[in-house]
Amino acid sequence: MSKTSRVVVYDDAGGSVAARLWWLLTRHGHRAVHVLDGGLSAWTSAGGSLDTFSVEVPEGDFTARIAKALPV
């Protein structure tokens, strides 16, 4: 993951797992993290498509660090 990558997190557990990952990534310095409202089921119900193939992602430059202030 790059430090400029847009990260969208989601789960199938009512959002609690996605919210935790959002918090962890944000707390460790990533600034472009979003939670998919309603999760994967809301995405597909709204007509969103899913890819079924693997994508090779180049090595990123994101380095986790504790942010000085908690996100609000």
Side-chain angles (χ1 to χ4, degrees):
M1 163 175 43
S2 168
K3 56 187 166 189
T4 59
S5 297
R6 180 178 306 250
V7 178
V8 179
V9 296
Y10 58 89
D11 63 31
D12 61 356
S16 60
V17 177
R20 176 70 174 165
L21 180 55
W22 170 86
W23 186 85
L24 284 169
L25 285 171
T26 304
R27 179 72 173 118
H28 286 86
H30 203 289
R31 295 295 175 227
V33 185
H34 311 276
V35 177
L36 182 61
D37 188 14
L40 190 57
S41 62
W43 173 258
T44 55
S45 294
S49 64
L50 301 176
D51 293 333
T52 58
F53 55 87
S54 296
V55 176
E56 188 167 328
V57 180
E59 185 175 335
D61 60 357
F62 175 71
T63 302
R65 61 179 173 23
I66 297 295
K68 291 186 191 301
L70 288 172
V72 274

